[in-house]
Amino acid sequence: MVRFPWRRPPQPDPNPSESPSGLGTFGGVFTPSILTILGVIMYLRFGWVVANVGWGGSLAIVTLSTSITFLTGLSISAIATDRVVRVGGAYYMISRSLGIETGGAVGIPLYFAQALSVALYTLGFAESLSNSFPALSNTQTLVALITTIAVAALAVKSANLAIRAQYFIMAAIVLSLLSFAFGHPITAESDIGAWNVSGRVGEPFWVVFAVFFPAVTGIMSGVNMSGDLRDPSKSIPIGTLSAIGVGYLIYMVLPVFLATRADFTALTENPLVMRDIALWGDAILLGVWGATLSSALGSILGAPRVLQALARDGVLPRSLRWLGQGHGPDDEPRYGTFVTLGVAVAAVCVGDLNLIAPVLTMFFLSTYMVLNVAAAVEGFLQSPSFRPTFRVPWFLSLVGALGCLSVMVLINAVAAVVAAILVAGIYVWLERRELQSAWGDVRRGLWVELARLAILNLGDTPDTKNWRPNILVLSGAPMRRWPLIELAAAFTHNRGLITVASVLPSGSRDLAQQASLESKIREYVAKRGVQALVRIVTAPDPFVGAERLVEAYGLGPLVPNTVLLGDSEREDLRRDYCKSIATLHRSRRSVIVFRENPELGFRNRRRIDVWWGGLQSNGGLMLLLAYLLRTSDRWRGATIYLKLVVPNETAAQAARANLENLAQQLRMGALSQVLVSDGRPFPEILRESSRAADLVCLGMAQPREGQDFSEYYSRLQGMASGLPTTLFVLAASDFAFEEVLQGKE
């Protein structure tokens, strides 16, 4: 249900900059919108439309075209009645809903489309003038230049003065329509025939539709004046929807007059057939000239205001920020008008805009589409902050967006693709600049909704087919232990989740200070190219804090499945450290202990040694981690050595065959290496065989009840002494990592 706010209760002024001297609904929105809708297509192409599809087909085209514009008008009205719409019109609405990057990606092309439209309209005015007065035929470009400068001077002088000038233009258009309505047939009734209902076999319906559709796309002329309105939230919906309604009524009546007063030949071959039908033919010329001049005025008023808003929001480069300055009590964008005049004059001098005209239409339509998307997303999310007094069901806005997209393809598919590429290129450019806006937008709400749906549909049962490490990194201060975070990033490839966690002493930070520190760490990690969450807790000691994190951190089934922590050489902490590892393992988490060789680091990142103890338990997880490393950017193409120690050569022969067969089945590119101990202790073989490795992976035994795990861990550390950087891996006991490797269903 659509609720029209024609009567609104008194509300406090939300924008102190609004002034009683601003433009009202009729002059600021309705007038520029209706004058752009009733444009040159009505005067010069409507007869051709009726000739090809008849008045019945014409009514269908008018209804379908206006429906798309009407849905867009509803979306604009919803956004305009939710917030104060300041300078920038459509750009302002989009940027405050979908973000500054999306607003800029649409706003920059929209500015150039409006600036070049000034040249299109003044060239059209000059052409119609020279056709009516042959003496001016050789001075067409000069006439267009003079006209362009004149409308720019009018805009620089005052927006109010330009609007008053449009009243005279509206009077000329009304006079032309009345003259046409009281006109006379130019063809005998017997010659009109039955073609006037359905037309003759000529251009296809959708080709005719594409020619007519730009006639109903003038609603941005009023929206772009948002910064000059007394009450934008009231004037934009009333003025825009009124202009759409009046335009629709006029366009529904005209086909009947045309089809019953002229034959097929006259409508097809005479662009000014309305002049021949009209009671006073020259009134149609006044209407044509008024239509072109009003459209030029609407563009020269709107384009600088979009440019002013882009500059003020920092979308434009810093060297162009001066374009955001306003002049006078009405904050008029004089600098922007001069720049727009320069663009228009350059386009007039080129003269032929036929090649870029379709792309300009695409920019206008893409603006309409994105406005519909913004209203649809806002309405769908139903955020408490979105409270328009003009409520529109979100699916109507979505239908409007799909309608705009369909029309873009129907009018000119190539131009639509070109426009899409340009908009996407600007979006990427703005995103890389990492613009900071002082307002929130709907993107966060959209991500929250998607996250909610994803978590609710995630399920509690682990899935071996889609397993990825969701890593909780107990890093302490990340600046001092960056290799831990780097390793986690290499494991996840920015596909799994990383949480960088620190445990601070109890009472060292309050909640506000913790949040501030989390923000700083998140910024530091992001600047180094790692996508990660950050969590800080306080606890009596770091081991208690780690256990609390694992116990409480996460959302529903989305909890860390792997804990990555650094090794500890401190004997006084070893018992608590090992107790913490045992607790983490009992909580069904995999544990990875990172033992860094500070002199070697990760060295060349070319070789990973995995000491094999079987596919089950630790072996499967170690191979998965090695594979994830070698497919990451910094470890790309590293060689994985699968190492196994056997007591004698007899056992080695069978082991080699089994290990090679396993390596081939797993499709990881791992090389098997079977070593014969010949009585040598394993630590000696380990140090000798892996001394040239860049990373060594060793499995840890599972902590047992009644076992002194700290004593075992001390022996493990002694065995790894002198090795390159090493990982001690303890796999979660309840997860079948071998099924992830073998791809079992």
Side-chain angles (χ1 to χ4, degrees):
M1 179 179 178
V2 179
R3 179 156 56 86
F4 294 84
W6 306 135
R7 294 184 179 179
R8 300 169 62 206
Q11 296 180 345
D13 184 5
N15 181 12
S17 68
E18 291 175 1
S19 156
S21 63
L23 299 173
T25 301
F26 184 78
V29 181
F30 178 82
T31 298
S33 296
I34 192 64
L35 291 183
T36 309
I37 289 173
L38 303 178
V40 291
I41 289 178
M42 179 182 73
Y43 288 106
L44 303 180
R45 289 291 181 270
F46 213 3
W48 177 87
V49 170
V50 174
N52 280 278
V53 298
W55 64 263
S58 299
L59 297 183
I61 287 176
V62 169
T63 300
L64 184 57
S65 302
T66 307
S67 297
I68 295 172
T69 306
F70 177 69
L71 291 173
T72 305
L74 294 179
S75 298
I76 290 171
S77 301
I79 297 173
T81 57
D82 176 63
R83 63 178 67 94
V84 176
V85 182
R86 304 180 193 273
V87 175
Y91 157 74
Y92 185 92
M93 292 180 178
I94 293 169
S95 62
R96 269 56 180 179
S97 289
L98 300 181
I100 193 169
E101 295 88 356
T102 305
V106 175
I108 292 175
L110 177 63
Y111 163 73
F112 282 104
Q114 290 180 323
L116 293 173
S117 293
V118 178
L120 279 173
Y121 296 131
T122 55
L123 281 169
F125 172 77
E127 182 178 345
S128 64
L129 201 64
S130 62
N131 289 338
S132 303
F133 302 98
L136 299 176
S137 59
N138 295 326
T139 59
Q140 184 172 313
T141 301
L142 179 61
V143 171
L145 283 172
I146 293 173
T147 306
T148 302
I149 294 171
V151 295
L154 192 59
V156 169
K157 179 67 176 176
S158 169
N160 285 288
L161 184 61
I163 291 295
R164 285 197 292 271
Q166 289 196 345
Y167 293 150
F168 293 100
I169 294 173
M170 179 180 282
I173 291 177
V174 170
L175 177 63
S176 70
L177 292 174
L178 289 174
S179 180
F180 175 75
F182 291 104
H184 51 80
I186 59 173
T187 306
E189 186 175 343
S190 59
D191 294 331
I192 295 177
W195 69 270
N196 58 13
V197 177
S198 58
R200 288 185 177 176
V201 178
E203 296 292 343
F205 179 86
W206 291 113
V207 172
V208 179
F209 176 89
V211 171
F212 173 78
F213 185 81
V216 297
T217 58
I219 56 176
M220 283 298 104
S221 298
V223 175
N224 288 333
M225 298 301 296
S226 57
D228 296 82
L229 301 174
R230 276 195 299 272
D231 187 357
S233 62
K234 174 184 176 182
S235 295
I236 289 176
I238 295 176
T240 300
L241 295 176
S242 298
I244 293 172
V246 171
Y248 177 67
L249 291 176
I250 293 172
Y251 278 133
M252 290 294 282
V253 171
L254 287 180
V256 179
F257 282 104
L258 287 168
T260 55
R261 292 181 178 180
D263 61 10
F264 177 83
T265 303
L267 293 176
T268 305
E269 298 180 355
N270 183 8
L272 279 172
V273 65
M274 291 179 66
R275 184 182 185 187
D276 296 337
I277 295 173
L279 181 65
W280 178 38
D282 289 343
I284 301 299
L285 287 179
L286 293 177
V288 173
W289 297 337
T292 53
L293 289 176
S294 66
S295 298
L297 265 175
S299 297
I300 200 69
L301 286 172
R305 284 158 175 77
V306 175
L307 190 64
Q308 185 182 47
L310 289 167
R312 287 179 174 177
D313 286 345
V315 174
L316 301 182
R318 188 175 298 275
S319 58
L320 297 177
R321 299 289 171 82
W322 52 273
L323 291 171
Q325 296 181 29
H327 294 81
D330 295 326
D331 194 32
E332 295 191 19
R334 291 182 184 173
Y335 291 151
T337 304
F338 289 131
V339 171
T340 304
L341 174 61
V343 174
V345 166
V348 168
C349 292
V350 172
D352 184 9
L353 296 178
N354 290 336
L355 292 177
I356 64 171
V359 179
L360 301 187
T361 301
M362 295 305 118
F363 286 149
F364 285 116
L365 283 173
S366 63
T367 303
Y368 294 177
M369 182 180 70
V370 177
L371 280 169
N372 279 304
V373 169
V377 173
E378 294 267 26
F380 174 75
L381 294 178
Q382 297 183 355
S383 300
S385 62
F386 185 66
R387 302 184 304 277
T389 56
F390 188 108
R391 293 196 173 274
V392 179
W394 67 268
F395 61 85
L396 288 182
S397 297
L398 181 60
V399 170
L402 295 175
C404 291
L405 181 61
S406 302
V407 168
M408 290 171 70
V409 175
L410 287 170
I411 290 178
N412 191 320
V414 174
V417 171
V418 172
I421 291 173
L422 289 174
V423 169
I426 296 172
Y427 181 89
V428 171
W429 171 63
L430 293 175
E431 183 129 89
R432 288 183 175 178
R433 287 176 56 194
E434 298 181 352
L435 300 176
Q436 299 293 325
S437 60
W439 62 87
D441 56 63
V442 77
R443 290 177 294 181
R444 181 178 176 85
L446 186 60
W447 288 124
V448 168
E449 178 63 18
L450 290 174
R452 184 186 72 84
L453 292 173
I455 291 170
L456 291 176
N457 287 279
L458 195 57
D460 296 319
T461 305
D463 180 6
T464 56
K465 186 175 181 61
N466 296 292
W467 179 87
R468 283 186 181 276
N470 179 354
I471 303 177
L472 178 67
V473 185
L474 298 173
S475 65
M479 299 78 161
R480 293 199 297 266
R481 306 190 75 180
W482 181 254
L484 268 175
I485 301 172
E486 180 189 333
L487 187 67
F491 285 146
T492 61
H493 301 180
N494 281 337
R495 295 293 188 274
L497 286 174
I498 302 174
T499 301
V500 177
S502 296
V503 180
L504 303 179
S506 297
S508 61
R509 299 284 195 284
D510 59 27
L511 291 178
Q513 291 171 327
Q514 285 179 221
S516 176
L517 186 56
E518 284 181 355
S519 178
K520 291 178 181 178
I521 294 175
R522 191 179 301 113
E523 183 179 349
Y524 172 80
V525 170
K527 283 183 177 179
R528 300 199 62 170
V530 175
Q531 297 176 350
L533 306 174
V534 177
R535 187 69 172 177
I536 293 177
V537 297
T538 58
D541 68 68
F543 306 116
V544 172
E547 293 169 14
R548 287 179 179 175
L549 267 171
V550 171
E551 180 182 349
Y553 181 69
L555 194 59
L558 193 62
V559 297
N561 57 26
T562 306
V563 180
L564 176 61
L565 65 160
D567 188 24
S568 174
E569 296 280 2
R570 291 180 56 178
E571 293 187 11
D572 59 322
L573 296 178
R574 182 173 295 145
R575 186 168 298 276
D576 289 337
Y577 181 84
C578 292
K579 181 182 175 183
S580 183
I581 291 177
T583 302
L584 297 177
H585 182 257
R586 283 196 299 272
S587 66
R588 297 167 29 175
R589 306 300 198 272
S590 296
V591 180
I592 305 172
V593 178
F594 175 69
R595 180 181 173 86
E596 183 182 15
N597 186 320
E599 296 180 0
L600 299 177
F602 291 121
R603 204 146 52 184
N604 300 316
R605 296 182 174 85
R606 304 302 303 163
R607 174 177 161 183
I608 305 170
D609 283 3
V610 176
W611 286 90
W612 190 244
L615 188 59
Q616 285 73 32
S617 190
N618 294 338
L621 179 56
M622 286 194 295
L623 262 183
L624 279 172
L625 295 175
Y627 173 74
L628 289 171
L629 275 182
R630 77 179 295 269
T631 54
S632 66
D633 289 337
R634 302 197 67 182
W635 289 81
R636 183 77 60 188
T639 303
I640 301 173
Y641 285 94
L642 203 55
K643 294 177 176 287
L644 176 64
V645 177
V646 296
N648 52 55
E649 187 60 38
T650 303
Q653 293 178 3
R656 287 191 186 98
N658 291 335
L659 210 55
E660 287 176 5
N661 183 52
L662 176 66
Q664 290 178 0
Q665 288 181 355
L666 298 181
R667 307 179 307 281
M668 289 185 174
L671 301 178
S672 61
Q673 189 175 12
V674 177
L675 305 171
V676 179
S677 65
D678 284 334
R680 292 179 299 163
F682 177 73
E684 179 184 333
I685 299 172
L686 171 64
R687 280 191 285 270
E688 180 182 337
S689 181
S690 288
R691 63 188 176 195
D694 299 313
L695 185 68
V696 180
C697 296
L698 292 172
M700 278 195 293
Q702 294 187 14
R704 304 288 183 186
E705 288 292 337
Q707 176 195 21
D708 189 352
F709 188 70
S710 61
E711 183 179 338
Y712 161 79
Y713 189 78
S714 177
R715 293 197 305 271
L716 185 64
Q717 286 180 316
M719 187 168 58
S721 177
L723 283 177
T725 298
T726 303
L727 299 181
F728 299 149
V729 178
L730 178 58
S733 58
D734 65 335
F735 190 82
F737 290 102
E738 67 274 11
E739 293 185 11
V740 182
L741 287 167
Q742 295 174 337
K744 293 182 179 180
E745 297 295 332

